[in-house]
Amino acid sequence: MRILAIDTALDACSVCIATDLSDDLLAEESMTLARGHAEALLPMLERVMARVEGGFESLDRVAVTVGPGSYTGLRVGLSAARAVGLATQVPVVGVTTLSALLAPLLATNGQGLIAAAIDAQHGSVYFQAMNMAEGIVVPPSLLRIEEAADHVGRSPVTLVGSGAPALSSLLRSRGVAASISDAGPPQIAWIASLGMLADPAQAMARPLYLRGPDATPQDHARLARR
């Protein structure tokens, strides 16, 4: 299987092409980017696809991050992935950012609690925790950072994601052994790997929104009907 993976959910714009025949990526490009995903993604896609034999027609699947993340970034990535899937007639699967963050920890940390925490601003984090014995302990949730720490309890934990430093600091103040594996965005190679394993019938390329939009309609400014 040859898969195109796209990530624009957080503070990065990343694209790669991977195959199930090798752990090495066929092509990859990534940049740290808080804004401007729409302008960066399509040229990046063209450059990456130009590096592989067969181009878009050689693809068997597309994977894209579906959130949680920024509304604008998610729309950009999902729109591009769906367009490629439609043009090439291949399945498009969704990968959550929390799963992509946890994947390398699952591969290297066989025991103990692991948790992904993405900074959601205003003292909150997008949070998911799991261990090998019980599987998912806390499903993808939007929590106050204190609530996330309460879910961890007293168990030693390995954290990953942009919310990891703040959560780790709080846990350590409570006497909990908390270590940080990585505070950056997901690695695009893991998004590709999870995309290969995903069932297209279950892992739909739809946005995962854990909270509503910050903007609210200004009802008071509407003109009264006559």
Side-chain angles (χ1 to χ4, degrees):
M1 179 189 295
R2 180 177 288 191
I3 187 168
L4 166 66
I6 298 171
D7 175 36
T8 56
L10 300 172
D11 291 341
C13 183
S14 303
V15 174
C16 83
I17 303 171
T19 174
D20 57 357
L21 299 177
S22 172
D23 291 334
D24 296 328
L25 298 178
L26 299 181
E28 174 190 13
E29 190 170 332
S30 181
M31 66 174 69
T32 301
L33 199 64
R35 294 180 178 85
H37 294 85
E39 294 79 10
L41 179 58
L42 293 183
M44 183 180 290
L45 268 173
E46 292 180 356
R47 290 192 298 270
V48 170
M49 294 306 307
R51 297 175 197 153
V52 297
E53 184 178 355
F56 286 101
E57 297 303 320
S58 69
L59 296 175
D60 299 299
R61 181 176 290 191
V62 180
V64 60
T65 44
V66 296
S70 75
Y71 286 91
T72 302
L74 291 176
R75 287 195 297 269
V76 169
L78 283 163
S79 296
R82 289 168 179 166
V84 173
L86 183 62
T88 58
Q89 295 296 295
V90 300
V92 181
V93 297
V95 175
T96 72
T97 48
L98 292 165
S99 295
L101 286 167
L102 288 170
L105 292 183
L106 282 173
T108 58
N109 188 352
Q111 297 181 347
L113 184 68
I114 59 174
I118 299 171
D119 184 9
Q121 304 297 319
H122 312 299
S124 298
V125 290
Y126 298 117
F127 185 78
Q128 182 176 347
M130 62 188 305
N131 60 43
M132 292 297 290
E134 302 174 62
I136 296 177
V137 178
V138 182
S141 308
L142 174 64
L143 302 173
R144 298 288 298 174
I145 193 168
E146 295 81 6
E147 294 175 306
D150 291 342
H151 279 293
V152 172
R154 308 297 299 178
S155 303
V157 61
T158 302
L159 301 170
V160 64
S162 59
L167 180 56
S168 173
S169 178
L170 177 57
L171 287 168
R172 288 170 182 168
S173 72
R174 296 183 178 186
V176 178
S179 60
I180 300 174
S181 175
D182 190 348
Q187 301 172 32
I188 191 64
W190 283 104
I191 295 166
S193 295
L194 292 175
M196 288 185 194
L197 298 173
D199 179 355
Q202 300 293 327
M204 307 297 288
R206 297 174 180 169
L208 174 64
Y209 294 141
L210 295 181
R211 70 175 173 194
D214 293 329
T216 56
Q218 297 181 356
D219 293 336
H220 63 279
R222 291 180 178 175
L223 295 176
R225 291 185 177 179
R226 294 183 179 179

